[in-house]
């Protein structure tokens, strides 16, 4: 089973940016957000690749 820690963390950071923006605070993603998002996308890609390998 692939790890989902970074995926969940990226979702949490995205929700926080959205909430800040909805309260009128201009929200700009910080470097941590982009680093976490990159790791999350790697986890997603790894999960998709492992799923595809199991189907073959």
């Amino acid at each position: 089973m692939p790890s989902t820690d970074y995926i969940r963390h990226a979702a949490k950071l995205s929700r926080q940016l959205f909430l800040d923006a909805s309260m009128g605070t201009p929200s700009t993603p910080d470097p941590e957000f982009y680093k976490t998002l990159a790791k999350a996308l790697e986890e997603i890609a790894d999960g998709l690749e492992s799923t595809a390998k199991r189907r073959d």
Side-chain angles (χ1 to χ4, degrees), residues 4-47:
T4 60
D5 294 341
Y6 280 102
I7 298 167
R8 293 190 186 284
H9 188 60
K12 179 181 174 187
L13 291 175
S14 297
R15 282 191 298 274
Q16 187 62 46
L17 285 171
F18 173 76
L19 289 173
D20 289 348
S22 69
M23 299 299 284
T25 306
S27 59
T28 304
D30 61 358
E32 179 193 356
F33 174 78
Y34 290 114
K35 179 182 174 185
T36 303
L37 182 60
K39 287 288 210 173
L41 292 171
E42 288 174 8
E43 284 184 355
I44 293 167
D46 290 344

